[in-house]
Amino acid sequence: MAVPKKWWGLGLSASLLAAILSGCSSGSNNGNNGDAQATASASSTESASPSASGAAATASPASALDTSKKVELQFYMVGDAPADLKEIESKINEMALQDLNATVKFNFTTWSDWSQKYKLLLASGQPIDLIFTADWTQYQTYANKGAFLPLDDLLPKSAPELHGFVPKEMWDAVKVGGKIYTVPSTYEEYVTDGIVYREDLRKKYNLPVPDSLEHLENYLDGIKKNEPGMTPIADKGNLHVEAYQLHPDLKNMAYKVGSTPYGLNIPYDDPHNVTSYWGSQAHLDMLKIFKGWTDKGYLPRNQLNDATRGPDLFASGKAAVVLSAQNPTAYGQLLSKMAGTGMEIAYFPYPMYKGYSTPVHPIHNGFAIPTSSANPERALAFYEKLVLDKRYNLLTEYGVEGKHYEVSADGHYQAVGDAGASGFPREGMNGWAWRNPEYMLFDTSYDVVGGIFKQLETISKPDFLTGLAEDYTPYQAERAALEQVQQEYLAPLEAGVVKDVEAGLKTFMEKAKAAGLDKVQDGYKQQLDSYLTEIGR
């Protein structure tokens, strides 16, 4: 399933903004948290990557890589490390020492407060040789701020095969200010979210498929009545706000709420006509719905303080639905994890209600070399090994064959033993960025996921907004103040624990405006207008 080629002509260059500064700033995504981002990025499709032949950039002849000095590369991932990381690291280092006279230390942020940790890593100046990048880690902003080294000259010299492997249009798509700062994954994806729900309970109690707000509430009501010991909604940390996508008045929003900057409503079909979702009637309606869910017991009142991940609660059989961070591949992972439990689950993609889906932009998964790197050439050469050398790729994506996984006679990935308790589950290092479609292994759940992607492809529209490289320097102080206001006043409203919703929303808007909401929104809209004009929208 190839992404339509017309997509590549849209959003390929970032706006030329203010002069790049030397400092680094926050990677916060205006409301998204680690749980959402963990599964939002852990996504893949049954499609093939763009062919490296024909479309690929022409690799320049490689100069001899100086490997005379042994080095240790510092490699940083987002998320949690697998239990058997040390074993994988040891095996990788045996090869890397022989091939590149280098060893690698794999570091992970954990999902707890990952955004702040990511920001501190880049601001500290500590030696980092490779770090994960994505739209949701604010790749463009950090690139604009000078956090990463430009790779244009390094690629043909240190990683010529990788330079040729990634299609030219993908290199173009990740440029910021005309320069390449990250190596994108060549694996084409959809990461649009959906609802995962207990299908066996739906059938047992004759409940509706939760494919609209009305049907979702009827489903939740049936669960509450018939399974009083179960938590109807698994999401923690007010991630259930993703259900706004089922609101009839918000079908045309180009962003989901978690990633919509500064509470703005950007219509997909008329993106210059930006309005504020925050404070609108639709916003008030959704907040009242969330309050009703908490009052009815669909949501626990302590959700903002509960560190349990929603998908984990769901997989344990203690909850009936997950409303956020469940793209089709995350659903496939739950299918694998819950296989053999006797629980039947199903999935409804939000785009099927909204009427359109967007394929992922190439900046969604990548790796950059921070300016603090002591070994940029060796780091890029090592990354080339991760992507193109099958030994490195399979080991870091799937673990040790025979111990962590096996390949069935029909070519499917099979976890050894209990997949949920594996020391290295599939893509256990969160290696989404170095996926190589030629080597990828899929378990049987991906047969289901592939069908979902075929559905989404029938309503696919290009993602033209992700290419905007925001420069929030002119309103940085107001932006930081606004984040504090969101945490203090908006989060409780979204959790449904504010008694008077209308008064609470009024207070939030007053505090937000006092913090500089108008300046922030106006500053972003000006950049958006310029960017849209630049790309011809």
Side-chain angles (χ1 to χ4, degrees), residues 405-417:
Y405 76 98
E406 294 174 343
V407 181
S408 66
D410 61 0
H412 280 100
Y413 166 94
Q414 291 181 327
V416 173

Side-chain angles (χ1 to χ4, degrees), residues 236-296:
K236 304 296 181 181
N238 65 318
L239 288 177
H240 60 271
V241 296
E242 299 292 1
Y244 92 95
Q245 294 177 81
L246 297 177
H247 193 296
D249 293 342
L250 300 174
K251 278 189 173 186
N252 198 38
M253 281 184 72
Y255 281 107
K256 60 184 182 182
V257 167
S259 59
T260 301
Y262 319 121
L264 293 171
N265 180 359
I266 306 172
Y268 184 94
D269 296 330
D270 187 12
H272 287 276
N273 184 25
V274 180
T275 59
S276 182
Y277 170 67
W278 285 348
S280 68
Q281 184 62 46
H283 191 198
L284 177 61
D285 290 345
M286 286 306 302
L287 293 176
K288 286 182 176 180
I289 288 171
F290 299 150
K291 173 68 161 56
W293 288 358
T294 299
D295 290 345
K296 295 173 183 177

Side-chain angles (χ1 to χ4, degrees), residues 20-24 140-149 181 370-371:
I20 294 178
L21 305 177
S22 59
C24 297
Q140 300 110 305
T141 298
Y142 281 113
N144 257 331
K145 296 287 187 179
F148 308 133
L149 290 176
Y181 293 96
T371 54

Side-chain angles (χ1 to χ4, degrees), residues 122-454:
L122 289 175
S124 68
Q126 71 182 79
I128 301 172
D129 296 296
L130 286 159
I131 193 166
F132 177 78
T133 64
D135 48 340
W136 50 272
T137 67
Q138 303 300 308
Y139 158 68
Q140 300 110 305
T141 298
Y142 281 113
N144 257 331
K145 296 287 187 179
F148 308 133
L149 290 176
L151 304 180
D152 306 74
D153 295 333
L154 282 173
L155 280 162
K157 296 176 182 178
S158 301
E161 292 183 23
L162 182 62
H163 187 222
F165 177 76
V166 177
K168 181 181 183 299
E169 55 264 35
M170 283 191 167
W171 289 126
D172 290 341
V174 301
K175 286 182 178 179
V176 174
K179 294 288 186 180
I180 297 169
Y181 293 96
T182 191
V183 180
S185 171
T186 61
Y187 196 65
E188 295 173 342
E189 314 175 66
Y190 282 82
V191 294
T192 48
D193 290 338
I195 302 172
V196 179
Y197 59 95
R198 286 285 298 276
E199 172 69 359
D200 53 343
L201 298 181
R202 188 194 71 80
K203 293 176 179 177
K204 181 177 180 180
Y205 302 119
N206 194 28
L207 304 176
V209 173
D211 56 4
S212 67
L213 277 175
E214 179 184 3
H215 289 167
L216 173 60
E217 290 196 322
N218 289 338
Y219 178 93
L220 294 169
D221 186 58
I223 294 296
K224 188 66 180 176
K225 289 178 180 177
N226 293 290
E227 298 283 343
M230 176 176 283
T231 300
I233 299 175
D235 302 280
K236 304 296 181 181
N238 65 318
L239 288 177
H240 60 271
V241 296
E242 299 292 1
Y244 92 95
Q245 294 177 81
L246 297 177
H247 193 296
D249 293 342
L250 300 174
K251 278 189 173 186
N252 198 38
M253 281 184 72
Y255 281 107
K256 60 184 182 182
V257 167
S259 59
T260 301
Y262 319 121
L264 293 171
N265 180 359
I266 306 172
Y268 184 94
D269 296 330
D270 187 12
H272 287 276
N273 184 25
V274 180
T275 59
S276 182
Y277 170 67
W278 285 348
S280 68
Q281 184 62 46
H283 191 198
L284 177 61
D285 290 345
M286 286 306 302
L287 293 176
K288 286 182 176 180
I289 288 171
F290 299 150
K291 173 68 161 56
W293 288 358
T294 299
D295 290 345
K296 295 173 183 177
Y298 301 164
L299 289 164
R301 290 189 174 274
N302 69 336
Q303 60 170 297
L304 292 176
N305 300 314
D306 190 341
T308 307
R309 293 185 66 246
D312 294 337
L313 187 69
F314 180 84
S316 70
K318 298 177 181 178
V321 300
V322 185
L323 300 177
S324 71
Q326 295 304 299
N327 57 66
T329 298
Y331 167 57
Q333 292 169 342
L334 278 175
L335 278 174
S336 297
K337 188 174 184 178
M338 298 173 70
T341 64
M343 293 182 281
E344 182 184 0
I345 65 175
Y347 181 73
F348 176 74
Y350 288 125
M352 300 311 295
Y353 177 83
K354 290 171 63 67
Y356 71 92
S357 62
T358 53
V360 75
H361 193 281
I363 66 171
H364 187 69
N365 288 316
F367 264 86
I369 299 178
T371 54
S372 62
S373 171
N375 309 287
E377 294 86 359
R378 207 86 60 95
L380 204 51
F382 173 75
Y383 197 73
E384 180 179 73
K385 289 287 187 184
L386 276 185
V387 177
L388 298 180
D389 190 312
K390 191 172 184 177
R391 301 169 302 156
Y392 287 75
N393 190 272
L394 293 181
L395 188 58
T396 54
E397 294 286 20
Y398 310 113
V400 178
E401 186 172 5
K403 177 178 180 179
H404 299 116
Y405 76 98
E406 294 174 343
V407 181
S408 66
D410 61 0
H412 280 100
Y413 166 94
Q414 291 181 327
V416 173
D418 182 356
S422 174
F424 199 95
R426 185 180 181 279
E427 296 187 338
M429 286 178 63
N430 301 342
W432 318 302
W434 66 84
R435 291 168 173 150
N436 185 327
E438 295 178 14
Y439 306 146
M440 289 183 75
L441 301 173
F442 299 93
D443 63 28
T444 54
S445 70
Y446 281 82
D447 297 340
V448 177
V449 174
I452 297 171
F453 275 100
K454 288 178 181 178

